[in-house]
Amino acid sequence: MNNNKQYPERFIAALRCPNCGSSVQQGFQFDTLQCTHCGTTYFSLGEVPCLFPAGVHQKLIWQHQTASLQYMALQSLATLHESLSRYDLTDATRQRLTEIQTASKVNLDTIISLMQKRGINPIPDEQLSQMNPGDLSEYFDLLLRDWAWDSTTNANPENTAALERTLTEIEKLPQKPARILVLGAGAGRLSWDLHIRLQPEYTVALDANPLVLAAADELVHQRQTIAIGEFKNFPQIGFQHAHCWQLEPPQDTDNARSTWFPLGANVWQLPFARDSFDLIITPWFIDVNGGDVRDLIAIIYEKLAPGGHWLNSGPLLFTRHLPVQLKYTATEIKEFLSLAGFTLIEESIANTDYLRSPLEARFRQEQVWTFRAAKPEARQEAPIIAGALTAWLVMHHLPIPQNNYSSKDSHPLIDAILSLVDGNRSINDICYEVGPHLPQDIPVKDVVVTLFGQILSE
């Protein structure tokens, strides 16, 4: 990667190796996407740097996902071709199937082209085929919502509503943010619209999905039109069967894209130092990231500069795979914010249309919770929350205060855990240190939390 000069010095100084935490002074080489300190080699998706803990192995996963998508698409096209060869079709049926076939072919060609142009070839992996690495096209509709559906006469208002909802909160900030991070930026529309309006020093549009990253880069940085086909498997009376959209690059007369950076990364191991951003935005993200909201709060708190703000907007539609105890209500999340040290400044609730396609009679309406929370200039004492033994037992990133902790049970593991309490380490830190020494099937955090919970309850 040889485009180092387009990134501000402050951005490069804030970067960290997601594996070992090394800075550019300690061995993380952003220009070559290598870390000489831990030996990890990273890669780029075309011109989009990808800093995942797996390094170049993440590229193998994406190649397998691309191959799987290609296989399924070709199977679907073969089925359509066979259906069109039948003699018992009416003209109307043949036309509908032909339109779906055309849209499907456009999508396959576009996706494979987007990926191959960025070094991701459809190569299946036998080991990955035994696993479930995820669906490359999971967020395909976001491409259409972000860059197509508001270009029609009967425009979808979602992008405008999201921008206005976010700007309303940002305009109340004491000062304009200079360094903005958008987590789960998707196809990039909201982060781009905000970047154009706010003109910060730089905006980072971070996502883990290569297809939406590639599309955002193709439209904004490469200034290329993207052809995307849309069709509906369920008949919609009075609507088109299918449509081929031409996604056009957004206007950028002032070259704002030179400081708008799409980035491939994992939110749980963000490649940035502490205090790196003035504003972090999580649009439709806190419920779909697959982890514990408490851990997300800790990460955002760490990456925000003192006095920085977190702006969240979206529903609480947690994934079905998440355990029920992690599907928190707004009340619970506000308690976590307080325990972590955030000050909740403002919140609002609104109902809004979601993924309302011009080709669709059906659409979802979601309850959107928008809040703005501030990180204090200096850490304050955590409040007392009903039912919580202590803040650090609930928020696992907070340091465990030194004390004469002891357990009525004696075991080498218990002794090892208690010996790590030094007034600085947190539950997360202790789990990181003892985890490698335990069998993989043992839930380390549950063990540590249960131990301290029992000690505090005795």
Side-chain angles (χ1 to χ4, degrees):
M1 189 174 150
N2 298 312
N3 56 356
N4 209 19
K5 292 183 180 179
Q6 68 176 309
Y7 295 95
E9 290 185 7
R10 194 153 66 145
F11 172 85
I12 296 175
L15 285 169
R16 295 291 184 271
C17 170
N19 269 321
C20 70
S22 293
S23 66
V24 291
Q25 290 80 20
Q26 297 168 323
F28 178 59
Q29 300 175 351
F30 184 56
D31 55 343
T32 61
L33 294 179
Q34 293 181 318
C35 182
T36 59
H37 184 267
C38 67
T40 305
T41 298
Y42 301 98
F43 67 101
S44 61
L45 183 69
E47 294 184 3
V48 178
C50 295
L51 305 177
F52 292 89
V56 294
H57 295 291
Q58 184 67 41
K59 186 175 181 178
L60 301 179
I61 295 174
W62 288 354
Q63 289 184 156
H64 177 77
Q65 289 177 313
T66 304
S68 297
L69 182 146
Q70 184 185 52
Y71 174 80
M72 295 298 294
L74 289 175
Q75 290 287 101
S76 177
L77 285 170
T79 300
L80 285 167
H81 179 76
E82 181 179 350
S83 296
L84 283 166
S85 67
R86 295 176 61 91
Y87 292 99
D88 57 350
L89 304 183
T90 66
D91 287 346
T93 300
R94 189 175 302 280
Q95 178 182 350
R96 175 174 58 84
L97 294 177
T98 300
E99 290 176 0
I100 293 175
Q101 181 187 52
T102 300
S104 300
K105 184 66 165 59
V106 166
N107 286 343
L108 176 60
D109 292 345
T110 292
I111 292 173
I112 297 301
S113 175
L114 280 173
M115 303 306 286
Q116 286 186 325
K117 285 170 63 175
R118 290 161 177 80
I120 306 296
N121 294 305
I123 302 175
D125 184 283
E126 185 174 348
Q127 288 185 321
L128 289 173
S129 64
Q130 307 302 317
M131 304 164 60
N132 181 21
D135 182 4
L136 186 70
S137 62
E138 180 179 4
Y139 299 108
F140 184 79
D141 282 348
L142 298 185
L143 294 179
L144 296 167
R145 190 273 311 278
D146 279 14
W147 302 105
W149 290 344
D150 62 358
S151 64
T152 63
T153 303
N154 185 24
N156 181 317
E158 286 183 55
N159 293 328
T160 300
L163 178 62
E164 291 178 352
R165 191 164 50 239
T166 308
L167 282 175
T168 296
E169 293 301 320
I170 294 176
E171 289 169 354
K172 300 173 185 176
L173 297 177
Q175 59 186 18
K176 189 176 79 168
R179 301 165 297 168
I180 299 175
L181 170 63
V182 181
L183 297 176
R189 178 61 183 271
L190 177 62
S191 64
W192 172 253
D193 287 347
L194 289 170
H195 187 71
I196 289 292
R197 293 286 292 272
L198 299 174
Q199 299 181 355
E201 181 181 343
Y202 55 81
T203 297
V204 178
L206 184 145
D207 208 278
N209 183 289
L211 178 56
V212 294
L213 284 169
D217 176 64
E218 185 81 351
L219 290 166
V220 178
H221 278 287
Q222 309 308 321
R223 318 301 297 160
Q224 298 296 312
T225 300
I226 299 176
I228 294 289
E230 180 183 4
F231 59 89
K232 304 300 176 185
N233 288 320
F234 302 101
Q236 304 288 293
I237 299 172
F239 291 81
Q240 290 178 264
H241 305 304
H243 183 77
C244 288
W245 299 93
Q246 296 295 316
L247 281 54
E248 300 291 342
Q251 293 185 354
D252 185 22
T253 55
D254 298 326
N255 195 33
R257 62 186 179 276
S258 64
T259 52
W260 182 81
F261 309 133
L263 176 68
N266 184 334
V267 67
W268 304 113
Q269 288 176 278
L270 288 178
F272 293 104
R274 294 176 178 271
D275 308 339
S276 291
F277 296 94
D278 308 306
L279 175 64
I280 295 179
I281 304 172
T282 50
W284 296 69
F285 182 72
I286 65 172
D287 57 334
V288 297
N289 56 65
D292 193 328
V293 172
R294 294 177 296 175
D295 293 331
L296 179 65
I297 290 172
I299 290 170
I300 292 175
Y301 190 95
E302 178 186 80
K303 303 309 178 186
L304 273 176
H309 287 76
W310 173 18
L311 177 55
N312 174 77
S313 188
L316 296 177
L317 294 174
F318 295 99
T319 59
R320 60 186 179 89
H321 303 291
L322 205 65
V324 66
Q325 71 268 19
L326 301 184
K327 296 180 179 181
Y328 304 115
T329 64
T331 299
E332 294 169 83
I333 293 173
K334 286 188 286 186
E335 289 181 340
F336 301 151
L337 288 171
S338 182
L339 288 172
F342 277 107
T343 298
L344 182 66
I345 305 297
E346 195 168 359
E347 65 173 321
S348 63
I349 297 176
N351 292 325
T352 185
D353 295 349
Y354 179 65
L355 295 180
R356 185 170 186 171
S357 167
L359 273 64
E360 185 87 53
R362 307 179 185 93
F363 62 91
R364 288 164 49 186
Q365 189 171 75
E366 301 294 359
Q367 182 187 63
V368 175
W369 179 36
T370 301
F371 68 76
R372 177 165 55 92
K375 177 178 176 178
E377 296 288 348
R379 181 174 285 279
Q380 303 169 354
E381 185 175 348
I384 298 175
I385 301 295
L389 291 174
T390 184
W392 57 264
L393 191 63
V394 178
M395 302 304 294
H396 303 149
H397 70 292
L398 296 176
I400 304 172
Q402 280 188 307
N403 204 330
N404 187 26
Y405 299 109
S406 62
S407 173
K408 61 183 180 181
D409 299 317
S410 179
H411 190 278
L413 175 59
I414 293 176
D415 296 339
I417 291 172
L418 296 181
S419 70
L420 293 172
V421 178
D422 60 359
N424 295 312
R425 288 187 178 95
S426 65
I427 287 177
N428 284 342
D429 296 328
I430 291 176
C431 291
Y432 179 80
E433 295 194 35
V434 303
H437 305 288
L438 297 178
Q440 291 185 351
D441 60 340
I442 292 182
V444 182
K445 184 172 286 188
D446 289 349
V447 171
V448 176
V449 169
T450 299
L451 172 61
F452 282 110
Q454 290 175 344
I455 291 174
L456 293 175
S457 299
E458 290 174 355

